[in-house]
């Protein structure tokens, strides 16, 4: 039994020796690669026996599984915010009937991965908001300092005419 977990970025393409093997949108990949099909269709894909498939695999997938003699595949998509970002995939080298417990375990694993990614995204958002708040506080502190300076200067400038009037009144009263 081989296990794998992976994700594919937007515009994914696989190349080998500078030759394009396939892209995420390739028809062969879309319909004939169980893990990627699981991601693109956001559905669980179960293949009990690759030699008994009614839909053929792409040549690239067949070339990939031959050395390992992969005969069974189960793939559960990792879906975050309605978008599949990866899959938890289990491979067997012999034909295998996937039990409800196995599929349930894979779903639980995908849910844990999803929760972890979502939590990390929320933490990143919180850190970004905290940083923005700290920057806004610095700006507010600077503005308050400028306002204090303005108030000091204004009050000083307004006192001068009062002193002049006070002096003039004092002269007149004498």
């Amino acid at each position: 039994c081989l296990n794998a977990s992976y994700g594919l970025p937007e515009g994914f393409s696989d190349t080998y020796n500078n030759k394009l093997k396939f892209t995420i949108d390739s028809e062969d990949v879309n319909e004939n690669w169980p893990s990627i099909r699981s991601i693109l269709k956001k559905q669980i894909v179960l293949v009990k026996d690759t030699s008994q498939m009614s839909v053929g695999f792409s040549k690239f997938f067949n070339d990939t599984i031959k050395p390992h003699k992969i005969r069974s595949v189960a793939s559960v998509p990792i879906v975050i915010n309605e978008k599949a970002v990866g899959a938890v995939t289990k491979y067997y080298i012999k034909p295998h009937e996937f039990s409800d417990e196995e599929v349930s375990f894979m779903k639980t694993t995908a849910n844990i991965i999803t929760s972890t990614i979502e939590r990390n995204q929320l933490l990143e958002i919180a850190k970004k908001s905290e940083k923005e708040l700290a920057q806004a506080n610095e700006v507010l502190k600077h503005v308050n300092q400028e306002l204090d300076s303005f108030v000091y200067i204004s009050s000083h400038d307004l006192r001068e005419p009062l002193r002049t009037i006070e002096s003039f009144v004092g002269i007149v009263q004498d």
Side-chain angles (χ1 to χ4, degrees):
C1 166
L2 305 169
N3 294 297
S5 175
Y6 60 91
L8 297 171
E10 299 249 346
F12 171 83
S13 66
D14 190 9
T15 56
Y16 182 72
N17 288 338
N18 295 325
K19 290 184 180 178
L20 182 67
K21 287 183 180 176
F22 63 87
T23 69
I24 191 73
D25 299 319
S26 298
E27 191 170 307
D28 283 343
V29 171
N30 188 3
E31 294 302 321
N32 300 317
W33 192 291
S35 301
I36 296 176
R37 186 184 321 158
S38 172
I39 293 169
L40 293 175
K41 297 190 182 264
K42 295 187 258 183
Q43 297 175 345
I44 296 172
V45 174
L46 300 174
V47 180
K48 297 173 190 171
D49 188 347
T50 57
S51 66
Q52 302 295 316
M53 283 283 296
S54 57
V55 176
F57 286 111
S58 68
K59 180 180 178 340
F60 182 72
F61 182 75
N62 280 326
D63 290 346
T64 302
I65 67 172
K66 278 181 187 172
H68 306 292
K69 298 178 181 148
I70 294 171
R71 295 294 298 271
S72 295
V73 180
S75 187
V76 176
I78 297 170
V79 181
I80 298 172
N81 299 325
E82 303 296 318
K83 182 179 178 187
V85 296
V88 175
T89 306
K90 192 167 196 168
Y91 301 92
Y92 281 89
I93 58 174
K94 295 179 182 175
H96 182 76
E97 180 86 28
F98 293 96
S99 69
D100 290 342
E101 291 81 21
E102 286 176 293
V103 175
S104 178
F105 179 77
M106 291 177 71
K107 284 179 176 178
T108 301
T109 302
N111 287 338
I112 290 169
I113 292 168
T114 298
S115 296
T116 302
I117 291 170
E118 287 174 340
R119 187 188 81 230
N120 286 342
Q121 286 176 338
L122 289 173
L123 286 172
E124 285 178 22
I125 289 169
K127 284 180 184 177
K128 182 179 176 186
S129 295
E130 187 178 313
K131 185 178 179 181
E132 288 172 355
L133 181 60
Q135 289 172 340
N137 282 337
E138 283 298 315
V139 169
L140 185 58
K141 184 179 176 182
H142 181 71
V143 167
N144 279 338
Q145 288 172 345
E146 287 180 1
L147 184 59
D148 286 345
S149 295
F150 174 76
V151 167
Y152 176 78
I153 291 168
S154 297
S155 68
H156 177 24
D157 288 351
L158 289 173
R159 283 187 201 137
E160 188 57 36
L162 286 175
R163 283 190 208 112
T164 304
I165 293 172
E166 216 174 51
S167 296
F168 184 72
V169 168
I171 293 172
V172 171
Q173 282 180 347
D174 285 336

